[in-house]
Amino acid sequence: MRSVDAYLADILATVRPLAPLELELERALGTTLAEDVSSPVPLPPFDNSAMDGYAVRAEDVPGTLPVIDDVAAGSDELRAVGPGHAVRIMTGAPMPAGADSVVPVEWTDGGTVSVQINRDVPVGNAIRRAGEDVQAGEVVLKAGTVIGPAQLGIIAGVGRRRVWVRPQPRVVVISTGAELVEPGAPLARGQIWDSNSYTLTAAVREAGAEGFRAGSVGDDPAVLLDQLDTHLVRADAIITSGGVSMGAYEPVKEALAPLGTVRFEKVAMQPGMPQGFGVLGDDRVPIFALPGNPVSSFVSFMLFVRPALDKMRGLPTDTSRTVTAYVTGSLRSPAGRRSYLRGVLASDGTVSPVHGQGSHQLAALASANALIVVPEDVTEVPGGSSVEVIRL
Ligand code: AMP
Ligand code: MG
């Protein structure tokens, strides 16, 4: 049996970061920057008002001043503010020459011909200075940053329409099993609803990739190969579930083992011992052949696929995202295999194993928010012990 760590190391040695491409900003959310983004101009580009009010010389207030002009954001013809004058100014409008402060409208009578200002104003009040956010030429985002809403905003804010990124990997999810039925359709005897393709596609999306749920293909290896052929052209990675263990009717193993580019092996873990991984086609598209039991396939995704997707996105593959917690009950684990038991991690730093640790017990998984990791050489964990936990 391979250890979890060795198996993951093999996967990470095989997958590669996706090649950068230039995308329109509208399509860049969730991608990873592949260039440093800098600003061609200072931001703000010019001194401007931080408030609606009056641009004045601070030494002229308090007092009543004639209002000689009105400037809105976007104005470009500005009259200078002479001694004893005020200009009505809106938030974001450029500061007129001569003025050194903005008096907020709340401190005045709001006049449009003349304005009565009731209090002192410090020099520089309510002015946003050119370059106080970003200097011209300054790098605002570094390569390797994931583009979220605010990052998209600053890229637009420095005037860019297109940006070089590593795209989100496109991941096709296929489930296998003659017993599977689409949710919503009635169940005949011996059938179950296909849940893995939903779980895994959702997990792909949560991992910052694009998930395409191809549905289920039964147990015929020829049909599976045909489907793989169809999807390979648009996939950066493929995930299958089921059909990789030791029984008969293991279509994934039967279809892929003869190709010689996908290995099926036992990994020393519970749940999820049977695993397959390799590459397909001329483009060497990685394929993760996960076991069929719902908890096994999900745990396998978290341990093996997620870090691989991080690598494809050009992100660090931090594989040790665990926290320490105190387990509220005792645990058992098979010798020689690393266990990932489902638990509820509480804010007081305790973790409680959920009832139902079978690898088919999807409802129990759905009630958990953490995996409790029990090392290979530990078979019993007394209640109250400290354990490592992976948050889900
Ligand atoms: P297999 O690995 O194909 O032998 O499947 C192991 C167990 O997982 C069997 O009980 C299957 O019925 C179940 N299973 C396989 N695929 C799915 C799926 N997509 N959704 C829910 N259960 C599944
Ligand atoms: Mg099956």
Side-chain angles (χ1 to χ4, degrees):
M1 268 198 280
R2 302 292 304 290
S3 74
V4 170
D5 297 334
Y7 189 70
L8 175 59
D10 278 358
I11 291 173
L12 293 179
T14 302
V15 302
R16 298 266 167 268
L18 297 184
L21 52 88
E22 199 178 21
L23 283 188
E24 295 285 327
L25 274 197
E26 280 85 350
R27 295 183 51 209
L29 181 68
T31 64
T32 311
L33 261 183
E35 58 167 323
D36 289 348
V37 172
S38 58
S39 182
V41 297
L43 292 182
F46 47 86
D47 289 358
N48 68 92
S49 178
M51 302 189 80
D52 297 330
Y54 296 85
V56 299
R57 296 168 181 244
E59 64 195 30
D60 291 340
V61 301
T64 299
L65 308 177
V67 177
I68 61 153
D69 198 7
D70 211 57
V71 288
S75 299
D76 65 348
E77 281 178 23
L78 306 178
R79 287 180 63 185
V81 175
H85 289 167
V87 159
R88 197 158 158 251
I89 193 166
M90 307 307 149
T91 305
M95 283 299 290
D100 59 16
S101 325
V102 170
V103 181
V105 67
E106 292 82 358
W107 299 0
T108 75
D109 66 356
T112 53
V113 177
S114 75
V115 60
Q116 187 184 323
I117 297 171
N118 308 317
R119 27 178 301 194
D120 271 341
V121 61
V123 170
N125 192 60
I127 298 176
R128 305 192 286 212
R129 296 291 178 193
E132 76 181 13
D133 191 14
V134 178
Q135 304 280 311
E138 188 180 333
V139 171
V140 293
L141 292 174
K142 286 197 163 304
T145 305
V146 175
I147 301 179
Q151 290 70 35
L152 207 55
I154 187 60
I155 298 169
V158 302
R160 295 282 298 271
R161 262 221 76 75
R162 294 161 73 80
V163 67
W164 281 92
V165 298
R166 289 187 202 279
Q168 294 191 302
R170 294 161 303 172
V171 183
V172 173
V173 177
I174 302 173
S175 48
T176 68
E179 72 280 27
L180 301 178
V181 174
E182 267 298 295
L187 281 188
R189 213 175 146 84
Q191 296 182 323
I192 58 170
W193 285 298
D194 171 13
S195 59
N196 289 352
S197 67
Y198 285 91
T199 305
L200 295 170
T201 308
V204 164
R205 292 180 185 151
E206 249 187 20
E210 284 183 42
F212 300 94
R213 197 183 68 88
S216 124
V217 297
D219 271 336
D220 182 345
V223 174
L224 174 64
L225 280 173
D226 195 56
Q227 281 289 306
L228 289 172
D229 219 43
T230 306
H231 291 298
L232 215 49
V233 290
R234 65 158 177 178
D236 297 309
I238 291 177
I239 301 174
T240 62
S241 84
V244 296
S245 40
M246 308 312 290
Y249 309 108
E250 306 288 9
V252 179
K253 214 172 180 175
E254 287 167 37
L256 301 183
L259 301 181
T261 58
V262 182
R263 266 171 62 175
F264 292 89
E265 43 197 333
K266 288 185 176 174
V267 180
M269 59 191 282
Q270 187 179 63
M273 185 170 62
Q275 299 281 341
F277 172 76
V279 294
L280 290 182
D282 294 341
D283 294 336
R284 299 180 57 79
V285 174
I287 178 163
F288 300 85
L290 307 183
N293 274 306
V295 181
S296 309
S297 66
F298 181 65
V299 169
S300 305
F301 178 93
M302 295 302 284
L303 296 183
F304 305 128
V305 186
R306 219 192 132 97
L309 292 178
D310 283 345
K311 180 156 185 196
M312 295 174 81
R313 296 175 70 201
L315 302 178
T317 51
D318 175 15
T319 54
S320 57
R321 275 182 283 218
T322 61
V323 296
T324 303
Y326 293 93
V327 68
T328 58
S330 62
L331 303 172
R332 300 172 68 82
S333 169
R337 288 161 70 182
R338 196 181 296 176
S339 288
Y340 297 89
L341 298 159
R342 279 67 69 201
V344 176
L345 182 64
S347 54
D348 64 358
T350 62
V351 64
S352 305
V354 301
H355 186 70
Q357 293 288 344
S359 60
H360 60 295
Q361 285 177 297
L362 185 53
L365 174 65
S367 72
N369 63 5
L371 296 174
I372 306 166
V373 187
V374 183
E376 290 80 347
D377 56 348
V378 176
T379 53
E380 291 197 30
V381 178
S385 311
S386 95
V387 287
E388 292 300 298
V389 161
I390 301 170
R391 292 172 196 273
L392 294 179

